[in-house]
């Protein structure tokens, strides 16, 4: 005989619609400086862009600048001696906006700021020059490595460091470099030494990012391993 016992229905569990999703912590507001820098980089692809700032709170001011290229640095370097305004002039030429019209407006705003606070021109201008390598401390290894190469280390004012390697110049190379110095000047001498003697694979990238290092590293490469770095006359009359 079949079992006709009724099985009681299981209770239905309804989802709790009153429970709310866990609250996420509030997200910090985007840094307006970062947003500004992103806009400038999008408007100037391939260029090295930074924001220069001074002051705090309601007194804060900032400008977007395009760091000098190798060609721009060559003009700046030729003007370093005897031009007390070179840092401020570098700043004026570096300030940019996201559009040509905004660049004009930003440079006009800069002039107003410098009229009110003139030391900022040299302060910001020197920051730009240091960011492309001016003022770096160069050290050369006293002896070559197993491959016969000397290490050149550039300590930048920003705290960054670049390390490259160079070979020791031959006598024909030195004669050529000396001739370049006599005919074209010290900047051309250093640039030729950089191209001729530095062997590191990143030499082109370093020259593009830090064009002021080319002269400093070129001079160091030209004299790497030379006794002339430590020589001095003996027996000078007193």
């Amino acid at each position: 005989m079949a079992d006709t016992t009724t099985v009681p229905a299981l209770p239905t569990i309804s989802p709790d619609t009153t429970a709310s999703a866990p609250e996420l912590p509030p997200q910090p507001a985007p840094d307006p400086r970062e947003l500004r820098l992103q806009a400038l980089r999008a408007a100037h692809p391939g260029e090295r862009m930074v924001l220069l700032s001074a002051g705090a709170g309601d007194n804060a001011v900032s400008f977007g600048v395009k760091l000098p290229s190798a060609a721009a640095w060559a003009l700046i370097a030729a003007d370093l001696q005897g031009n007390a305004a070179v840092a401020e002039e570098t700043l004026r030429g570096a300030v940019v906006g996201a559009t040509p019209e905004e660049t004009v407006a930003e440079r006009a705003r800069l002039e107003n700021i410098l009229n009110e606070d003139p030391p900022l021109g040299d302060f910001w201008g020197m920051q730009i020059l240091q960011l492309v390598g001016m003022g770096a401390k160069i050290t050369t290894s006293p002896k070559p490595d197993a491959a016969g190469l000397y290490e050149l280390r550039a300590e930048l004012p920003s705290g960054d460091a670049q390390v490259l390697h160079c070979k020791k110049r031959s006598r024909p190379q030195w004669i050529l470099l000396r001739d370049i110095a006599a005919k074209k000047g010290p900047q051309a001498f250093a640039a030729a030494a950089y191209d001729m003697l530095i062997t590191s694979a990143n030499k082109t990238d370093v020259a593009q990012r830090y064009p002021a290092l080319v002269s400093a590293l070129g001079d160091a490469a030209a004299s790497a391993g030379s006794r002339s770095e430590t020589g001095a006359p003996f027996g000078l009359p007193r």
Side-chain angles (χ1 to χ4, degrees):
M1 184 174 181
D3 185 0
T4 59
T5 305
T6 303
V7 178
L10 295 174
T12 301
I13 301 176
S14 301
D16 184 3
T17 58
T18 62
S20 58
E23 292 186 5
L24 296 175
Q27 298 299 310
D31 188 332
R33 296 173 301 176
E34 183 63 32
L35 296 177
R36 176 62 175 163
L37 194 55
Q38 289 177 4
L40 289 171
R41 286 173 175 166
H44 302 274
E47 301 287 355
R48 296 181 66 208
M49 309 296 302
V50 297
L51 285 184
L52 300 179
S53 303
D58 294 338
N59 198 37
V61 288
S62 67
F63 289 89
V65 301
K66 179 171 66 175
L67 297 183
S69 63
W73 168 252
L75 298 175
I76 294 168
D79 209 23
L80 284 173
Q81 296 296 326
N83 183 3
V86 66
E88 183 179 317
E89 290 172 0
T90 298
L91 171 66
R92 284 206 194 100
V95 167
V96 294
T99 65
E101 295 77 15
E102 190 177 65
T103 296
V104 172
E106 283 293 274
R107 291 182 178 179
R109 183 169 71 91
L110 174 66
E111 293 303 320
N112 290 333
I113 292 293
L114 295 184
N115 287 338
E116 183 265 328
D117 193 352
L120 281 178
D122 295 293
F123 174 72
W124 278 333
M126 283 305 302
Q127 286 186 338
I128 293 172
L129 296 177
Q130 290 174 350
L131 285 170
V132 296
M134 197 176 92
K137 179 183 178 183
I138 310 297
T139 55
T140 306
S141 61
K143 294 182 179 180
D145 60 17
L149 300 177
Y150 290 84
E151 180 184 281
L152 306 176
R153 184 177 183 86
E155 298 282 352
L156 296 159
S158 64
D160 188 17
Q162 296 293 321
V163 177
L164 296 92
H165 292 83
C166 72
K167 59 186 178 181
K168 189 176 181 179
R169 88 262 106 217
S170 66
R171 188 171 188 183
Q173 287 174 325
W174 178 253
I175 291 172
L176 176 59
L177 290 171
R178 185 176 62 190
D179 189 57
I180 291 172
K183 293 179 179 178
K184 298 182 180 179
Q187 294 288 337
F189 166 88
Y194 186 93
D195 290 337
M196 184 185 300
L197 302 175
I198 291 183
T199 61
S200 300
N202 64 334
K203 62 186 287 186
T204 300
D205 179 64
V206 170
Q208 290 175 344
R209 290 174 59 83
Y210 306 103
L213 284 183
V214 171
S215 293
L217 290 171
D219 284 336
S223 61
S226 174
R227 296 179 185 86
S228 66
E229 294 298 292
T230 56
F234 174 79
L236 290 176
R238 296 182 179 178

